C-alpha cells in the first residue's frame, strides 16, 4: 500500500521563523495531528521542527488538509508542509527490532510482542501475542485499548463479530478469546490482512476470516453480525455508517473509535439517523470511543 509522508514544519511567525518554545511546539503538534487526522492521516511522529504525518495515497485530500490548516488556532505560529512518497518499508520495524512493553487492559488482557512475555505477576484471562509486520497497530494506541475493553465487557459468547479496518488483528483476537463464534475482518491494506492471518496463527485462533478491501466487501457477505467494531478515522466512519447498519440487526452493537472527543457528537448524530442508541462512551487523552445499540423501536430503513 502506497503512503505519503507529510513533513509539517512549525515556526514562530512573529520572530522570523524561529522555532517555538517547547510548550508551544507540543501544543502545535497536537493540533496539527488532530487536524490532519480529520483529513485521513493515520500515524504521526515528532520531528525537531514539527511533526511528520502518514496517510494512504488514495485517501490524501490536499484541499481538505489546506482548508483545515487555514483555521490553525495559534496565530503566532506558522505551519507549512512538504509531501513525499513514504519509503516502502516495514512501518513497525522499531517494534520488531526493539519490541515494546506489554499492554495491560483492565488487568484482564495483556497484549505483548514476540520479545516480551507476560509479566510473572500477571495472570490475565486473555493473552495476545502480536508480531507486527508492515501494519499499523500494536495495541499501544488509546483507541485500540478502549475498543478492546468494550469488547471484553460485552457478551460475545457464540456471537458473530465484524472487525472493520483490522490492522494487525488485535480486536479480532480479543473477540475470539472472549468467546465469539465467528469473526470477519477486513482491511484495505494487504499487509494488514496478511498480518492478521499471521497473528491468528500465532495465537492459535482459527475462527477469523480476513478479507482484503474496503467496506464494499460486505456486499459479498451473507447474514448479519451481532457486534461490529470499527477503529478508523472520522470521515470513513461517517461514510461507512449505512453499510454497518446494513449488516446489523435489532440488538446488534456497534463500537466505534479512531476520532477525537470533539467529533463524538457528529458520530452520535449520524448513528442516530440509522436507529442506533448510544449506550457507552469512553475517552483517553482526548481520543473517544462510542458504543451503540440498534434500538428495537427503530423504524429507520435504508
Amino acid at each position: 500500500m502506497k503512503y505519503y509522508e507529510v513533513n509539517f514544519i512549525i515556526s514562530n511567525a512573529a520572530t522570523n521563523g524561529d522555532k517555538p518554545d517547547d510548550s508551544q511546539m507540543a501544543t502545535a503538534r497536537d493540533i496539527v495531528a488532530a487536524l490532519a487526522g480529520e483529513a485521513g492521516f493515520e500515524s504521526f511522529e515528532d520531528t525537531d521542527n514539527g511533526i511528520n504525518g502518514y496517510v494512504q495515497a488514495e485517501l490524501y485530500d490536499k484541499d481538505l488538509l489546506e482548508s483545515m490548516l487555514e483555521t490553525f488556532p495559534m496565530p503566532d505560529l506558522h505551519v507549512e508542509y512538504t509531501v513525499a512518497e513514504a519509503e516502502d518499508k516495514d512501518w513497525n520495524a522499531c517494534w520488531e527490532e526493539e519490541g515494546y512493553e506489554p499492554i495491560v487492559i483492565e488487568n484482564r488482557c495483556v497484549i505483548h510482542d514476540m520479545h516480551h512475555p507476560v509479566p510473572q505477576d500477571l495472570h490475565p484471562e486473555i493473552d495476545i501475542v502480536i508480531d507486527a509486520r508492515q501494519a499499523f497497530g500494536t495495541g499501544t494506541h488509546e483507541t485500540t485499548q478502549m475498543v478492546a475493553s468494550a469488547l471484553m465487557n460485552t457478551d460475545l459468547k457464540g456471537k458473530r463479530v465484524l472487525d472493520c479496518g483490522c490492522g494487525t488483528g488485535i480486536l479480532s483476537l480479543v473477540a475470539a478469546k472472549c468467546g465469539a463464534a465467528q469473526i470477519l475482518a477486513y482491511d484495505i491494506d494487504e499487509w494488514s490482512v496478511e498480518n492478521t492471518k499471521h497473528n491468528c496463527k500465532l495465537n492459535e485462533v482459527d475462527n477469523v476470516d480476513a478479507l482484503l478491501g474496503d467496506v464494499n466487501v460486505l456486499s459479498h457477505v451473507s447474514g448479519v453480525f451481532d457486534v461490529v467494531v470499527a477503529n478508523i478515522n472520522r470521515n470513513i466512519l461517517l461514510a461507512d455508517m449505512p453499510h454497518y447498519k446494513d449488516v446489523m440487526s435489532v440488538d446488534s452493537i456497534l463500537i466505534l473509535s479512531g476520532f477525537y472527543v470533539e467529533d463524538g457528537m457528529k458520530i452520535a448524530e449520524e448513528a442516530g439517523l440509522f436507529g442506533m442508541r448510544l449506550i457507552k462512551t469512553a475517552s483517553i487523552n482526548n481520543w473517544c470511543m462510542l458504543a451503540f445499540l440498534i434500538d428495537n423501536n427503530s423504524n429507520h430503513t435504508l
Side-chain angles (χ1 to χ4, degrees):
M1 171 115 354
K2 181 180 177 182
Y3 277 81
Y4 287 142
E5 178 178 343
V6 180
N7 176 221
F8 296 95
I9 301 172
I10 302 169
S11 59
N12 194 321
T15 58
N16 298 318
D18 290 344
K19 182 179 176 180
D21 62 40
D22 290 345
S23 177
Q24 282 186 311
M25 178 63 83
T27 300
R29 285 179 178 135
D30 287 344
I31 294 173
V32 170
L35 294 173
E38 296 292 338
F41 283 67
E42 297 180 7
S43 181
F44 302 93
E45 60 180 359
D46 291 348
T47 66
D48 288 342
N49 297 315
I51 189 171
N52 281 346
Y54 299 91
V55 60
Q56 293 174 28
E58 65 183 45
L59 297 180
Y60 176 60
D61 187 332
K62 178 181 178 181
D63 292 337
L64 177 59
L65 179 61
E66 289 188 351
S67 68
M68 289 183 169
L69 289 177
E70 286 176 0
T71 64
F72 194 72
M74 300 178 72
D76 291 339
L77 300 186
H78 177 68
V79 180
E80 57 184 355
Y81 65 92
T82 59
V83 182
E85 288 190 17
E87 180 184 353
D88 185 12
K89 64 179 181 180
D90 186 339
W91 292 99
N92 283 311
C94 60
W95 299 114
E96 292 181 13
E97 293 174 3
E98 302 175 8
Y100 62 97
E101 292 300 316
I103 308 302
V104 181
I105 303 174
E106 295 188 8
N107 287 322
R108 297 168 53 197
C109 174
V110 176
I111 301 169
H112 59 101
D113 65 8
M114 303 289 288
H115 305 276
H116 295 81
V118 176
Q120 292 184 352
D121 60 337
L122 290 178
H123 304 283
E125 302 168 23
I126 301 172
D127 178 357
I128 295 176
V129 58
I130 293 295
D131 182 14
R133 293 181 172 180
Q134 292 196 348
F136 293 103
T138 55
T140 59
H141 200 278
E142 294 92 338
T143 59
T144 305
Q145 295 182 42
M146 286 188 290
V147 176
S149 177
L151 284 172
M152 290 160 51
N153 288 289
T154 300
D155 181 8
L156 297 182
K157 290 182 174 59
K159 301 295 178 65
R160 193 175 189 219
V161 176
L162 175 65
D163 182 2
C164 310
C166 55
T168 54
I170 287 176
L171 298 178
S172 290
L173 289 168
V174 171
K177 297 202 174 192
C178 285
Q182 179 188 11
I183 300 100
L184 176 67
Y186 70 83
D187 202 295
I188 61 174
D189 182 354
E190 61 182 317
W191 288 108
S192 293
V193 173
E194 292 306 313
N195 198 206
T196 291
K197 294 177 180 178
H198 172 69
N199 286 325
C200 285
K201 289 181 180 179
L202 282 180
N203 290 273
E204 299 182 346
V205 167
D206 60 6
N207 61 342
V208 176
D209 292 321
L211 304 179
L212 175 64
D214 60 15
V215 73
N216 290 306
V217 302
L218 298 180
S219 63
H220 304 292
V221 175
S222 61
V224 295
F225 295 88
D226 301 292
V227 178
V228 176
V229 298
N231 185 15
I232 316 176
N233 76 67
R234 187 199 75 161
N235 293 336
I236 294 178
L237 291 177
L238 292 172
D240 290 355
M241 193 82 70
H243 299 281
Y244 302 154
K245 172 64 189 296
D246 226 8
V247 294
M248 299 170 69
S249 61
V250 172
D251 292 334
S252 289
I253 293 173
L254 175 64
I255 302 171
L256 303 178
S257 195
F259 50 91
Y260 294 100
V261 169
E262 50 266 31
D263 296 318
M265 182 173 294
K266 177 63 176 177
I267 298 288
E269 289 175 353
E270 186 72 11
L273 296 177
F274 293 94
M276 302 181 193
R277 176 168 55 87
L278 183 64
I279 58 173
K280 185 175 182 179
T281 66
S283 64
I284 302 176
N285 295 331
N286 205 43
W287 290 100
C288 185
M289 186 280 297
L290 301 178
F292 302 89
L293 177 73
I294 292 192
D295 199 321
N296 191 40
N297 297 318
S298 172
N299 295 316
H300 183 90
T301 56
L302 294 178

